[in-house]
Amino acid sequence: MAGERRPLMAANWKMNKTVREAQDYMAALLPRVADLAGEVDVAVFAPFTCLSEVARMAEGSGVLAGAQNFFYEDSGAYTGEVSVPMLLDVGVRASIVGHSERRELFCETDEAVARKTRRAVEAGLLPVVCVGETKEERDAGRMWEKVSGQVRAVVEGLGDAPGRSLVFAYEPIWAIGTGETASPEDAQDAIGRIRELLGELRGEGFAAETRILYGGSIKPGNISEIMAQKDVDGGLVGGASLEVDSFLQLVEAARG
Ligand code: PGA
């Protein structure tokens, strides 16, 4: 990984943990990441119900409290939605955008993902934008067509945001929660190509400073070889982030 991009290790709890469980997790995590001193960024993407508590506990610690989704309008008649100002109000500093589970199960389009990303960037909420292909798309040789289209839609909607204001996560859908990880070479291939595309779309400076994570069945046993890839800047972790001990092993590995 290039020296100028600080690694980011992110826990995606998905639809897991009560407030009490979130408190216990944060109480165990925070003292053990206190000495990271800028070596690696740590984020915890929690369900809405735990978010204000996670953000309160994380305040001043350097751990980013993050949401898993939001809507791009700030307020209004959008039953069931939560906006960026509402997240900022409770101390949330980041959010996942366009996770494949949201794209597939909740019909999120490239256009919606682009609008959400832009709103987050404008408001100073760090979006972690997920892209990735299905097994069928990969087998049909259409991985890059899918991923490049997703990246392009987001970048074209960005306005004049700098690279450091957003993060991408390449998450091949067939590797999420399946135990089947992309090989480190496949992760590097896709992430390297995303970085090249960022350069074509917005210039080399933007490409060089934008962090791109890998996600999909990351665990303590495979993180080192994934982090060793030159364009991989960290991980977005589901299953292996639910226990503090295994997430901490991943954070340590990202530290190098
Ligand atoms: P996983 O999930 O680590 O359980 O595969 C990753 C993700 O969906 O972000």
Side-chain angles (χ1 to χ4, degrees), residues 12 14 99 101 171 175-178 215-218 236-240:
N12 175 10
K14 307 194 178 184
H99 190 282
E101 287 151 15
E171 298 206 305
I176 294 177
T178 58
S217 297
I218 289 179
L236 181 58
V237 191

Side-chain angles (χ1 to χ4, degrees), residues 86-107:
M86 289 171 174
L87 294 176
L88 293 171
D89 182 47
V90 295
V92 171
R93 295 286 167 257
S95 182
I96 295 173
V97 182
H99 190 282
S100 60
E101 287 151 15
R102 296 218 54 86
R103 293 179 189 258
E104 298 216 316
L105 301 171
F106 303 99
C107 307

Side-chain angles (χ1 to χ4, degrees), residues 70-132:
F70 58 86
F71 191 50
Y72 48 73
E73 297 293 350
D74 283 356
S75 62
Y78 303 105
T79 302
E81 295 297 318
V82 168
S83 70
V84 170
M86 289 171 174
L87 294 176
L88 293 171
D89 182 47
V90 295
V92 171
R93 295 286 167 257
S95 182
I96 295 173
V97 182
H99 190 282
S100 60
E101 287 151 15
R102 296 218 54 86
R103 293 179 189 258
E104 298 216 316
L105 301 171
F106 303 99
C107 307
E108 281 197 18
T109 61
D110 279 352
E111 194 206 336
V113 172
R115 290 184 72 171
K116 288 180 183 197
T117 305
R118 177 161 187 157
R119 184 67 199 105
V121 165
E122 282 168 357
L125 185 82
L126 182 72
V128 176
V129 183
C130 300
V131 298

Side-chain angles (χ1 to χ4, degrees), residues 117-231:
T117 305
R118 177 161 187 157
R119 184 67 199 105
V121 165
E122 282 168 357
L125 185 82
L126 182 72
V128 176
V129 183
C130 300
V131 298
E133 81 288 358
T134 63
K135 181 93 178 98
E136 293 68 38
E137 287 161 343
R138 172 163 282 260
D139 290 347
R142 291 176 30 232
M143 178 281 275
W144 185 238
E145 188 189 321
K146 171 75 172 292
V147 170
S148 61
Q150 291 176 321
V151 171
R152 201 177 277 276
V154 166
V155 173
E156 285 173 353
L158 260 187
D160 49 13
R164 288 180 197 283
S165 60
L166 84 162
V167 174
F168 281 96
Y170 169 64
E171 298 206 305
I173 295 169
W174 47 271
I176 294 177
T178 58
E180 198 183 337
T181 322
S183 69
E185 295 73 27
D186 284 345
Q188 168 58 35
D189 173 59
I191 290 174
R193 289 170 80 171
I194 292 171
R195 196 175 304 289
E196 265 174 44
L197 178 61
L198 297 181
E200 282 164 31
L201 294 171
R202 288 177 82 87
E204 290 312 314
F206 183 83
E209 66 176 15
T210 301
R211 288 182 289 185
I212 310 176
L213 314 181
Y214 168 77
S217 297
I218 289 179
K219 42 188 180 282
N222 60 25
I223 186 65
S224 299
E225 53 182 17
I226 292 168
M227 286 304 299
Q229 305 303 310
K230 80 175 172 53
D231 283 297

